[in-house]
Amino acid sequence: MSFFRQLLSNRKANIGLTLLGVFVLIATIGPYLVRDASEFLTTPLSPPDSEFWLGSTSQGQDVFAQTIVGARTSLLIGFLVGIVVVAIGATVGIAAGFFGGWVDDVLSLLTNVFLIIPGLPLAVVLAAYLEAGPVSIAFVLILTGWAWNARVIRAQTLSLRRKDFVAAAIVAGESRLRIMFFEILPNMTSLIVSGFIGATVYAIGAQVGLEFLALGDVSKVTWGTNLYWAANNQALLTESWWTIVPTGVCVALVGFALVMINFAIDEITNPRLRSEGGWKAVVRAAGVTPGFSTPVLRRGSLADSNALADSSAPALSKEAS
Amino acid sequence: MTYILRRLGFYLIAAWVSLTLNFFIPRFAPGDPASALQARFQGKLEPSAMAAMKVAFGLTDEPLHVQYFTYVKNLLRGDLGTSIAYFPAPVSEVIGKALLWTLFLAGLAVLVSFALGTLLGILTAWKRGSWLDSVAPPTFIFLGAFPYFWMAMLLLYALGFVGGWFPLLHAHSSHLSPSLSLEFIGDALYHAVLPAGSIVIASLGGWLLSMRNTMIGVLSEDYITMAQAKGLSERRVMLHYAARNALLPNVTGFGMALGFVLSGSLLTEIVFSYPGQGYLLFEAVKSQDYPLMQGLFLSITVAVLAANWLVDIAYVWLDPRTRS
């Protein structure tokens, strides 16, 4: 599919995908290569040294092992929640946009209400009543996180609904479900992918937050519980920065990688953002000040920059602004 | 005016949905607050006192719709039940004190972050390709990827603990009692620097990006070219022509993001032992104080809804089209 091919040839997407790939690899095979993450192994709170690369916790556990092992649950829950959230969002959004009328009224109202209710307090109340553990956390995150995607996808469905190919499919007598999921849905690939990425970023962050609040299963090793134990054992007062820094940096790197992929998708779907870099290079080569608007350029057309460089400056600045 | 009233109607529906959720979650969840209560006060309370407390929490054997009716009636009177952790203080009293601190901290942080982020967004879009444009967006996006509370821990460690420049915890010095004196306000602001700062750093990137993206769209409009052709000063075109029009979508996003930023600030409060809603929420989770937890959920929701309504009013003031 051309969207995925474009994604693979985008520099930002490559940075993001590589970084993400490293973390997925770590989460998959890493736990087999490190020491036991929950075992008492060395002097509590010893700073990083050559044997324990990231030091030890106040329980004498290996911080390096905990960081690696924590990646598994955190990423798994993150991606899982991302997939389910997008599936719910797409179903609700497409149904609302396609059927219109009272269906749209009800679904839109529900979506907007869930969007505006602050997620964390609701998640806390829910998680507190459920049995502590990754499954409960995933459930809570899905319930509090689906609305944004539903809203975005509904808007896109509304504009696709008016297109001729939908009208043609209706006239051809295709079933509604088929039109919704086989005609409309494939036209929103980029939106679905970016929705999945956004939901995953949210899920990883919120999961760490909930576990930091002691709402997860604190006997399991995840990024959130790592930070919970660090804070609980007064990591700051004992100046043991190595118990909080590695996990936080990992969370941020994964988030950063995912956001970079989403930027790439923005560039692919919005040609104005995409052509920015190339346009500036052309303008600079011609030795003129660029105007404000970035023209929409076809891929490859920038290679022919000599033509522009030859043209006189006033003509170019007129064209540019 | 009809726009504002219509929005108010929506917020009332949202409030009703959240109070209904609040009612049903404990009743359908596997964990039973009544037995949690029983376990917590085992042996400390006489059976009659226990029964009275269950009634106070609304955990009776009446049919569901009767319970619901009583619950709504109590809520409308401002009665959120009795806290377990702070027994026998009513939940509304426990929350009331903390709400002001949360509104102060989160409000301050959101306003500073919105203003700074929007300004940076304007500048990066205006000077595209400059060093500011190539450095600021990626930096703040990376910073924004850190969990709020983690950023708070790091700032607390570096600037408070090692550097010793800022207070480590609480919202004001213990020798001062809350008043509207200049000294107290200064002290409260001084205590808010680190917690608010960590929220600002973590949430700035979002404002920056959305403002930059809308600005880029607006800058290619004809009226910008026209304004430049008229020979208006750079600054006037940037602020009065481009930024003013690009601001509208950002204001809409402001309402959406409030709940998100507030959620983050709740966790930040815990790191700084800041006496707000977040700290209470942590206490409530630790001591399984269900009534307090649920009261906090409702009060935070109402605060977010009210803030959103204020944003709507600001929107009408900014965009003349909504007035007709």
Side-chain angles (χ1 to χ4, degrees):
Chain A
M1 218 179 288
S2 86
F3 166 73
F4 289 107
R5 202 172 304 142
Q6 280 186 45
L7 197 59
L8 286 179
S9 63
N10 183 295
R11 195 170 59 97
K12 282 183 183 139
N14 279 329
I15 297 175
L17 285 170
T18 312
L19 200 54
L20 194 65
V22 170
F23 271 99
V24 170
L25 200 69
I26 288 177
T28 325
I29 58 169
Y32 301 113
L33 306 177
V34 293
R35 298 186 183 91
D36 189 336
S38 27
E39 206 59 28
F40 184 101
L41 290 171
T42 178
T43 331
L45 292 182
S46 51
D49 57 32
S50 55
E51 199 192 343
F52 293 92
W53 293 346
L54 294 174
S56 69
T57 68
S58 55
Q59 310 295 320
Q61 296 139 326
D62 182 5
V63 175
F64 180 70
Q66 287 206 320
T67 311
I68 300 280
V69 173
R72 181 173 276 186
T73 324
S74 297
L75 289 188
L76 194 67
I77 298 280
F79 286 125
L80 198 80
V81 172
I83 291 171
V84 179
V85 158
V86 159
I88 297 176
T91 312
V92 172
I94 293 180
F98 182 76
F99 289 115
W102 68 267
V103 178
D104 186 21
D105 289 343
V106 172
L107 290 179
S108 294
L109 184 67
L110 197 67
T111 310
N112 287 333
V113 165
F114 267 90
L115 259 182
I116 209 155
I117 294 177
L120 185 88
L122 176 60
V124 167
V125 172
L126 270 170
Y129 280 107
L130 297 172
E131 200 180 322
V135 180
S136 302
I137 298 249
F139 170 75
V140 165
L141 294 182
I142 291 165
L143 198 78
T144 52
W146 61 273
W148 176 252
N149 274 298
R151 184 188 170 108
V152 175
I153 289 170
R154 172 184 169 268
Q156 183 68 10
T157 311
L158 278 182
S159 75
L160 287 176
R161 176 85 173 80
R162 285 190 284 269
K163 294 269 159 52
D164 285 343
F165 72 89
V166 176
I170 294 174
V171 172
E174 286 186 33
S175 75
R176 285 167 170 177
L177 274 181
R178 204 186 141 74
I179 298 176
M180 281 160 63
F181 291 101
F182 291 90
E183 301 283 353
I184 295 181
L185 187 67
N187 281 293
M188 300 195 289
T189 317
S190 64
L191 212 59
I192 301 278
V193 175
S194 79
F196 163 69
I197 290 172
T200 308
V201 173
Y202 153 80
I204 292 176
Q207 181 199 359
V208 171
L210 285 180
E211 284 171 345
F212 178 67
L213 268 173
L215 284 165
D217 182 351
V218 290
S219 65
K220 287 220 165 55
V221 178
T222 69
W223 283 344
T225 51
N226 286 354
L227 291 176
Y228 164 77
W229 284 117
N232 212 34
N233 294 321
Q234 309 294 342
L236 298 175
L237 292 180
T238 51
E239 298 205 39
S240 46
W241 53 268
W242 57 87
T243 56
I244 54 170
V245 169
T247 299
V249 171
C250 285
V251 173
L253 281 176
V254 170
F256 183 69
L258 290 165
V259 173
M260 285 306 264
I261 301 174
N262 250 358
F263 277 166
I265 296 176
D266 272 352
E267 283 186 4
I268 292 166
T269 49
N270 182 352
R272 227 182 265 286
L273 290 177
R274 174 178 48 196
S275 46
E276 220 175 290
W279 174 245
K280 264 182 316 234
V282 174
V283 169
R284 211 170 294 134
V288 291
T289 352
F292 283 122
S293 60
T294 306
V296 177
L297 298 174
R298 192 170 297 151
R299 287 154 66 81
S301 66
L302 283 169
D304 189 23
S305 59
N306 286 337
L308 272 170
D310 288 341
S311 66
S312 60
L316 180 66
S317 58
K318 190 176 142 210
E319 208 178 306
S321 48
Chain B
M1 203 55 216
T2 47
Y3 173 76
I4 292 183
L5 286 178
R6 219 175 49 230
R7 297 301 296 170
L8 184 64
F10 167 69
Y11 295 131
L12 288 178
I13 294 175
W16 172 75
V17 170
S18 43
L19 74 88
T20 305
L21 270 177
N22 200 32
F23 173 80
F24 281 109
I25 290 170
R27 281 165 179 83
F28 286 135
D32 168 21
S35 44
L37 218 63
Q38 204 101 43
R40 193 174 161 75
F41 286 100
Q42 200 75 66
K44 281 185 244 162
L45 277 184
E46 289 168 29
S48 63
M50 192 71 212
M53 207 152 118
K54 276 193 182 171
V55 172
F57 290 137
L59 300 164
T60 51
D61 293 328
E62 287 168 338
L64 213 54
H65 66 273
V66 179
Q67 285 186 32
Y68 184 72
F69 191 68
T70 323
Y71 162 79
V72 174
K73 209 171 65 190
N74 285 343
L75 270 189
L76 290 179
R77 283 208 317 255
D79 179 5
L80 294 165
T82 313
S83 164
I84 299 177
Y86 296 85
F87 190 79
V91 168
S92 50
E93 196 178 288
V94 179
I95 290 178
K97 280 183 221 149
L99 188 60
L100 278 179
W101 283 117
T102 295
L103 289 180
F104 168 69
L105 179 67
L108 186 74
V110 164
L111 286 180
V112 170
S113 139
F114 180 75
L116 265 181
T118 306
L119 195 68
L120 273 174
I122 295 173
L123 287 176
T124 49
W126 187 257
K127 297 208 178 295
R128 263 191 295 163
S130 66
W131 66 267
L132 182 72
D133 186 30
S134 41
V135 171
T139 311
F140 280 106
I141 279 132
F142 183 63
L143 290 177
F146 288 99
Y148 286 26
F149 65 89
W150 189 84
M151 195 58 93
M153 284 163 108
L154 205 69
L155 280 189
L156 179 64
Y157 180 71
L159 300 179
F161 202 78
V162 178
W165 297 306
F166 292 100
L168 296 177
L169 67 176
H170 298 324
H172 58 86
S173 307
S174 48
H175 67 272
L176 292 172
S177 57
S179 64
L180 277 177
S181 68
L182 218 56
E183 191 193 5
F184 180 76
I185 294 174
D187 187 58
L189 282 174
Y190 181 50
H191 277 76
V193 170
L194 280 190
S198 63
I199 301 170
V200 168
I201 292 174
S203 63
L204 192 69
W207 304 124
L208 191 164
L209 262 198
S210 69
M211 189 63 188
R212 181 176 178 276
N213 281 355
T214 8
M215 269 291 272
I216 287 175
V218 168
L219 284 177
S220 56
E221 295 283 347
D222 285 341
Y223 57 76
I224 300 294
T225 318
M226 174 69 182
Q228 284 194 308
K230 282 197 291 191
L232 296 179
S233 73
E234 284 256 309
R235 207 168 144 163
R236 198 174 163 79
V237 181
M238 175 171 88
L239 295 178
H240 290 246
Y241 284 71
R244 211 180 152 181
N245 284 296
L247 199 59
L248 284 176
N250 234 21
V251 172
T252 321
F254 186 77
M256 284 286 154
L258 271 180
F260 194 73
V261 176
L262 192 69
S263 295
S265 88
L266 295 178
L267 293 172
T268 306
E269 284 178 9
I270 297 167
V271 174
F272 288 94
S273 305
Y274 204 84
Q277 306 276 76
Y279 190 66
L280 279 186
L281 200 61
F282 188 50
E283 293 288 308
V285 169
K286 271 200 306 197
S287 53
Q288 295 198 311
D289 187 347
Y290 292 106
L292 181 57
M293 227 182 291
Q294 294 187 262
L296 283 167
F297 165 58
L298 280 188
S299 70
I300 295 167
T301 307
V302 169
V304 168
L305 294 180
N308 264 282
W309 198 46
L310 291 181
V311 172
D312 285 336
I313 293 173
Y315 194 84
V316 169
W317 176 68
L318 277 171
D319 187 353
R321 283 172 300 185
T322 51
R323 271 176 244 159
S324 57

